[in-house]
Amino acid sequence: MRFALLGTVNSYGAQKYKERGPAAKAMADKLGIKVEWVYYTQGPYDFVEVVDAPSAEAVLALTTWFAKAGYGKLEAMPGHDVPAMKRADVKAGR
């Protein structure tokens, strides 16, 4: 399952920049989540990631861990590819 993660970093997370990324990557690996790409952004979010996860529960664990570590907040949205959208369109009766 692919997910888009929208991240915000608080002041503690910004101060811990050098440890935050490696720690988050280690936790993602532990949960079986593959980080496909990361972009640092300007605006309401500090970064956007696309991940491939074994389950929504694994992503929930990662987002919970990030907040409990005090780094900031992750919002997760499931991503669907074009074939999935076409199947959904058929099921919707179009």
Side-chain angles (χ1 to χ4, degrees), residues 21-90:
K25 174 75 168 81
M27 179 54 71
D29 289 346
K30 179 179 175 182
L31 295 167
I33 297 171
K34 179 184 174 208
V35 178
E36 295 186 345
W37 55 262
V38 178
Y39 286 108
Y40 293 96
T41 59
Q42 296 174 303
Y45 299 100
D46 298 311
F47 61 91
V48 177
E49 296 184 359
V50 171
V51 301
D52 192 6
S55 66
E57 189 173 316
V59 173
L60 178 60
L62 181 64
T63 61
T64 301
W65 170 85
F66 194 83
K68 284 184 173 183
Y71 296 136
K73 180 179 166 186
L74 293 175
E75 293 181 42
M77 298 180 293
H80 306 282
D81 59 15
V82 172
M85 186 61 210
K86 287 180 180 179
R87 290 190 302 273
D89 198 37
V90 169

Side-chain angles (χ1 to χ4, degrees), residues 2-24:
R2 285 207 169 85
F3 290 83
L5 302 181
L6 305 174
T8 55
V9 176
N10 59 26
S11 61
Y12 175 78
Q15 291 171 5
K16 297 295 182 176
Y17 175 78
K18 289 183 180 180
E19 81 177 36
R20 186 186 75 237

